[in-house]
């Protein structure tokens, strides 16, 4: 009975209200294969495009819309998510009073302004109590770490399954890309004598991939502020791994001006870490001191050693004192 | 307020005066031995500017200390460097298109708050390729390592309609913190083409010293000041009117064409236009005109506004450079909890004016000549702030009732074809510019709105044009003015010719008619400011 009502409410033309038709399911599989073949790690549009094509072939199919939305959520960052929201806001305005399009609009808020999505979905259900997909989406939201509510999840899950026996649920949030291996590979490549230009390009690509990963975290409210802070810190650590590689590459390529310019930037950026959690600031000073020592830039190296000692005065640490001494010994015989 | 009748009368007088003076002007330009007077160049020694006032609140010592602390913290914020999402530099929101990544980098000569430095950081810091950026456009036609920092405006859109907006020089394309945003989808404008077709004009950073005093000067004072010399100006063909807010009709003071109403608006707009940072005043990311949805999506990385009031203290360091114990708490100073633009505006508001060193007999004589030949009719030496903000009841009471020496009337004037830049802003037409305040001139490196010269003599000469020259007037206003000497119909997006010449022609003729030693005195005086 509930299913019948749902079909009436959704106004579907023959397709199941509880899941995609087998034909569309097949199209999803094909689209997923195309998306998986996109090599560009930042190719959110290219990866979502096959799902957009399915949606455009089935413009009235709820599940085609949902799958396209899921693809953008899976591959996109701020700009793509904002565009998705805009697209569904327009569709919602074009279909006033249609719960399907309002639901799809609200669904673009999930993970972006999730409290707003929850409120909107409840409002929608108040007017359309048999709109089963809203129950499913609520259950999915309540299953996430950030918005976990076991009782509400169970309730919404039951309501959905009552309307759609055997219905399935998605796992939210979508995955975060794995950390890029490129910066470590670049370090290895440099040690093995790879061309400086190639190594620098690899570090840049690696940093972009880390930035992209971070964007995939930052754009969503699925993650706690602490998680985001740690992610930002991890990202910064990658920069501090990549920059020394770049400095060494520039030097190896005879581009000492480029090396010195990057070192100047690194010095400025190190100063911003003074209040960062341990050991970020210390590590930055140490990195700079070693880079100067490597190039016999004694004066600069001694400046860093002095800064390290000053920091040690405020934060005594025997092991670090020995590190400073070791760096000083590298610098001093040449001075 | 601007009056149609006075406008008509002024222009009628101007045409007549100009006719009389045209010969004098030409004669002066041809015969005066300008070569013997030499711009002494930027004054050396310590910066005669930078920092705040000795006292900001003379009614409450605690408030005074707090105000001074506010300035010190705002000064730090003014120096913040931005990256796209705050992952490389602490500042957040750079781009998608921008001219620079820090306020202080442009406003730095001779001290923070000033104008363009000797070494252009847009070039020497390799902005085009910073952090992996792939900006490929040839910028050498308008940027150089020893030239001024510049922004570019286009006069017209490709379809011939008026543009006038800033076309940012750099984009974030290729930067490591802008993954997926490439130069292919976010290219730089075609500057070469715009320059070749005379469609590009330039502006340089404006000096901000003393702007808080200007902000605290009432409209009434400015109007009285302008009115006081009306007849003298009319005799020399000088007009002058104020740019004003289209909303409330009050005078707007700031910017090369006095287009900005307040320091806060100025700060908010500059943060958005020059650095690409969205804020609570200007909340939209700027993309090049015609950018596709996919470009916008691929090159958008942050929620908006990127700069906003802080409910949790974001400042990692205190003024002393020590770790801030209130980081990520709800506790903090006004500066720490305020947005960047509030801090920028506060910094400028509390930034003291330059200190002149006019003392030698040559400089003092030059000061007299500056007035006697008519320069001071627009470059007003003295204004006074008033208790318009409530006196002791208002903020920064020590800045109220202060006499200051900006050498500007803050009015806009027709400057003729030599300076006409084809851009209208508010009421200011293409050849109308705010009288540039001359305080701090002694240590400025680049002159005029586009920084075309480092030589004072050239800057002075360019104030004048010959009467035969016409300016291209463009207006987005829709009104009709009877000039007396000819009707000019201002229509939306009209492009018309105006043959009024520069209001400074007579004064420049008078300068040119001075003996070389007198001209030198004037130059020496200007370099003492």
């Amino acid at each position: 009975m509930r299913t019948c009502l749902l079909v009436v409410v959704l106004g579907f033309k023959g397709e199941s209200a509880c899941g995609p038709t087998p034909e569309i399911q097949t199209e999803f599989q094909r689209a997923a294969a195309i998306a998986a073949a996109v090599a560009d790690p930042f190719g959110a549009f290219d990866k979502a495009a096959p799902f957009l094509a399915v949606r455009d072939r089935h413009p009235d199919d709820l599940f085609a819309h949902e799958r396209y939305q899921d693809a953008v959520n899976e591959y996109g960052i701020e700009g793509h998510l904002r565009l998705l929201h805009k697209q569904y806001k327009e569709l919602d305005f074009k279909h006033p009073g249609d719960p399907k399009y309002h639901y799809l609009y609200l669904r673009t808020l999930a993970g972006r302004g999730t409290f707003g999505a929850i409120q909107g979905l409840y409002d929608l259900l108040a007017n359309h109590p048999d709109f089963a997909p809203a129950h499913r989406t609520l259950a999915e939201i309540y299953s996430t770490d950030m918005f976990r509510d076991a009782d509400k999840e169970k309730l919404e899950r039951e309501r959905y399954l009552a309307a759609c026996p055997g219905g399935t649920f998605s796992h939210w949030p979508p995955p975060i890309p794995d950390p890029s291996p490129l910066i470590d590979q670049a370090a290895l490549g440099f040690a093995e004598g790879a061309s400086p230009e190639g190594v620098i390009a690899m570090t840049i690509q690696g940093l972009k991939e880390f930035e992209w990963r971070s964007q995939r975290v930052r754009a969503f409210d699925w993650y706690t502020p602490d998680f985001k802070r740690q992610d930002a810190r991890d990202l910064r650590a990658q920069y501090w791994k990549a920059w020394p590689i770049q400095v060494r590459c520039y030097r190896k390529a005879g581009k000492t001006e480029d090396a010195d310019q990057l070192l100047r930037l690194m010095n400025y950026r190190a100063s911003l870490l003074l209040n960062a959690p341990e050991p970020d600031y210390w590590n930055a000073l140490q990195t700079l001191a070693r880079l100067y020592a490597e190039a016999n830039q004694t004066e600069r190296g001694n400046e860093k050693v002095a800064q390290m000692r000053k920091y040690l005065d405020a934060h005594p640490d025997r092991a670090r004192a020995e590190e400073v001494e070791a760096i000083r010994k590298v610098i001093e015989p040449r001075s | 307020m601007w009056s149609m009748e006075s406008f008509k009368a002024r222009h009628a007088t101007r045409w007549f005066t100009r006719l009389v003076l045209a010969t004098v002007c030409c004669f002066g330009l041809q015969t005066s031995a300008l070569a013997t007077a030499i711009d002494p160049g930027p004054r050396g020694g310590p910066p005669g500017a930078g920092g705040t006032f000795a006292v900001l609140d003379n009614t409450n010592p605690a408030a005074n200390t707090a105000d001074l602390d506010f300035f010190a913290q705002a000064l730090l914020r003014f120096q913040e460097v931005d990256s796209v999402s705050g992952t490389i530099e602490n500042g957040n929101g750079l781009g998608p298109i921008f001219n620079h990544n820090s306020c202080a980098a442009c406003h730095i000569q001779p001290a923070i708050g000033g104008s363009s430095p000797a070494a252009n950081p847009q070039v020497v810091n390799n902005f085009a390729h910073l952090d992996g950026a792939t900006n490929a456009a040839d910028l050498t036609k308008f940027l150089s390592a020893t030239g001024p920092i510049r922004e570019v405006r286009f006069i017209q859109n490709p379809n011939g309609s008026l543009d006038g907006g800033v076309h940012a020089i750099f984009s974030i394309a290729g930067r490591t913190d802008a993954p997926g945003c490439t130069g292919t989808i976010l290219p730089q404008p075609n500057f070469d083409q715009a320059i070749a077709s005379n469609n590009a004009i330039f502006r340089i950073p404006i000096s901000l010293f003393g702007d808080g005093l200007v902000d605290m000067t009432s409209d009434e004072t400015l109007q009285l000041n302008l009115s006081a010399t009306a007849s003298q100006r009319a005799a020399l063909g000088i007009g002058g009117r104020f740019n004003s807010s289209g909303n409330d009709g009050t005078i707007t003071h700031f910017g090369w064409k006095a287009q900005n109403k307040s320091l806060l608006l100025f700060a908010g707009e500059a943060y958005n236009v020059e650095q690409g940072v969205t804020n609570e005043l200007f909340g939209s990311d700027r993309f090049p005109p015609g950018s596709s949805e996919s470009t916008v999506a691929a090159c958008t990385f942050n929620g908006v506004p990127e700069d906003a009031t802080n409910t949790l203290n974001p400042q990692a360091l205190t003024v002393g450079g020590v770790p801030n114990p209130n980081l990520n708490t709800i506790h903090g100073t006004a500066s720490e909890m305020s947005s960047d633009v509030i801090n920028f505006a506060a910094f400028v508001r509390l930034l003291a004016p330059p200190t002149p060193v006019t003392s030698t007999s040559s400089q003092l004589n030059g000061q007299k000549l500056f007035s006697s030949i008519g320069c001071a009719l627009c470059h007003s030496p003295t204004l006074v702030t008033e208790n318009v903000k409530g006196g002791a009841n208002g903020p920064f009471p020590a800045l109220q009732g202060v006499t200051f020496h900006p050498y500007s009337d803050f009015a806009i004037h027709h400057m003729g074809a030599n300076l006409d830049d084809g851009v209208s802003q508010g009421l200011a037409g293409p050849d109308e510019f705010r009288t540039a305040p001359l305080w701090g001139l002694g240590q400025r490196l680049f002159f005029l709105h586009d920084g075309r010269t480092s030589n004072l003599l050239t800057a002075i000469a360019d104030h004048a044009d010959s009467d035969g020259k016409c300016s291209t007037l463009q207006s987005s206003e829709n009104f009709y003015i009877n000039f007396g000497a000819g009707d000019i119909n201002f229509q939306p997006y009209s492009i018309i010719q105006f043959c009024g010449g520069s209001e400074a022609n007579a004064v420049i003729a008078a300068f040119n008619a001075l003996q070389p030693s007198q001209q030198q005195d004037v130059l020496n005086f200007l370099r003492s400011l």
Side-chain angles (χ1 to χ4, degrees), chain A residues 1 7 21 31 35 52 116-117 132-133 201 216 231 244 257 274 281 283 285 288 312 325:
Chain A
M1 179 61 186
V7 171
T21 62
L52 179 61
R216 293 276 306 138
D231 176 74
E257 275 188 24
L274 194 55
Y281 181 63
N283 286 351
L285 290 181
L288 284 162
L312 273 180
E325 199 54 25

Side-chain angles (χ1 to χ4, degrees), chain A residues 250 258 261, chain B residues 120-133 135 170:
Chain A
Y250 286 134
D258 290 342
Q261 187 168 49
Chain B
N120 182 354
Q122 291 170 307
V123 176
V124 298
N125 288 346
N126 196 18
F127 257 42
H129 302 111
L130 185 65
D131 290 309
N135 292 282
F170 305 104

Side-chain angles (χ1 to χ4, degrees), chain B residues 424-441:
Chain B
S424 299
Q425 291 181 281
L427 295 182
D431 79 332
E432 284 181 293
F433 288 87
R434 179 183 78 158
T435 304
L438 300 182
W439 51 6
L441 189 77

Side-chain angles (χ1 to χ4, degrees), chain A residues 42 45 77-80 82-83 86 204 207-208 211-212 215 218 229 235 239 243 261 265 268-269 271-272 274-275, chain B residues 81 85 87-90 124-125 130-131 174-177 179-180 293-294 297 300-302 316-317 321 323-324 327:
Chain A
F42 321 129
F45 276 121
I77 58 171
E78 178 69 32
H80 309 100
R82 225 190 275 180
L83 178 59
K86 182 181 168 217
I204 288 173
L207 288 171
K208 285 182 179 177
E211 284 274 4
W212 184 269
Q215 286 285 344
R218 198 178 306 132
R229 260 195 289 276
L235 171 60
Y239 275 100
W243 289 330
Q261 187 168 49
L265 278 171
Y268 169 72
R269 290 164 181 175
S271 71
L272 302 174
L274 194 55
N275 200 23
Chain B
V81 180
S85 297
T87 57
I88 301 177
E89 312 285 7
N90 276 1
V124 298
N125 288 346
L130 185 65
D131 290 309
R175 284 177 59 105
T176 55
D177 51 0
E293 277 191 331
S294 59
T300 297
F301 296 93
N302 304 315
L317 303 176
N324 185 354
L327 177 66

Side-chain angles (χ1 to χ4, degrees), chain B residues 160-437:
Chain B
S161 61
L162 290 175
D163 183 348
V166 176
H167 289 251
I169 298 170
F170 305 104
S171 91
I172 58 173
R175 284 177 59 105
T176 55
D177 51 0
C181 180
T182 66
T184 310
I185 60 173
L186 189 64
Q188 291 167 281
N190 190 335
F191 294 115
D192 282 347
Q193 188 182 62
I195 291 168
S197 59
N198 296 317
N199 194 37
I201 64 101
F202 310 110
R203 300 269 176 90
I204 66 170
I206 209 160
S207 179
L208 305 170
F209 299 124
D211 272 356
L213 298 177
V214 181
D215 198 38
M216 298 181 89
T217 303
S218 68
D219 284 13
E220 185 186 45
T221 296
L222 294 174
Q223 283 160 342
L224 286 170
N225 178 63
L226 191 66
S227 301
T229 56
S231 59
Q232 292 167 273
R233 291 201 320 276
L236 293 172
I238 304 171
R241 58 175 176 151
F242 291 107
N243 208 339
S244 64
S245 163
N247 291 320
D248 63 7
T250 55
I251 293 173
T252 53
H253 311 97
F254 303 110
W256 284 105
K257 299 210 175 203
Q259 70 272 19
N260 279 306
K261 171 69 192 162
S262 73
L263 294 176
L264 187 56
L265 276 172
F266 202 3
E269 186 175 63
Y271 207 22
N272 186 242
V273 171
E274 309 299 346
Q275 292 176 238
V277 181
T278 55
N279 55 73
E280 289 165 320
L281 291 168
F282 290 80
S284 300
D285 263 323
R286 294 181 72 243
F287 279 89
S291 294
S292 68
E293 277 191 331
S294 59
T295 293
V296 172
C299 299
T300 297
F301 296 93
N302 304 315
V304 292
E306 289 151 322
D307 168 46
T309 304
N310 301 302
T311 51
L312 287 178
N313 192 330
Q315 294 302 315
L317 303 176
T318 65
V319 175
V322 298
N324 185 354
N326 292 325
L327 177 66
N328 292 324
T329 71
I330 60 170
H331 304 291
T333 63
S335 167
E336 288 169 347
M337 306 311 276
S338 294
S339 64
D340 289 345
V341 291
I342 292 283
N343 274 278
F344 300 158
F347 165 72
V348 179
R349 185 169 294 117
L350 304 181
L351 190 60
T355 307
V357 296
T358 313
S359 59
T360 68
S361 58
S362 170
Q363 291 164 350
L364 291 167
N365 190 45
Q367 186 172 26
K368 286 180 194 158
L369 289 165
F370 182 82
S371 289
S372 64
I373 62 174
C375 303
L377 292 173
C378 298
H379 291 284
S380 301
T382 300
L383 289 169
V384 184
T385 67
E386 290 172 78
N387 290 339
V388 291
K389 309 288 181 183
N393 287 330
F396 316 120
L399 304 190
Q400 299 181 26
V402 170
T403 299
F404 63 105
H405 306 287
Y407 292 92
S408 174
D409 56 8
F410 299 97
I412 52 175
H413 297 269
H414 289 285
M415 298 309 300
N418 278 342
L419 295 183
D420 180 343
D421 70 354
V423 171
S424 299
Q425 291 181 281
L427 295 182
D431 79 332
E432 284 181 293
F433 288 87
R434 179 183 78 158
T435 304

Side-chain angles (χ1 to χ4, degrees), chain A residues 317-335:
Chain A
D317 183 304
R318 176 174 288 187
R320 286 180 172 179
E322 288 170 7
E323 286 172 17
V324 176
E325 199 54 25
I327 293 171
R328 189 191 60 78
K329 281 179 182 167
V330 175
I331 296 169
E332 274 205 345
R334 298 168 180 168
S335 57

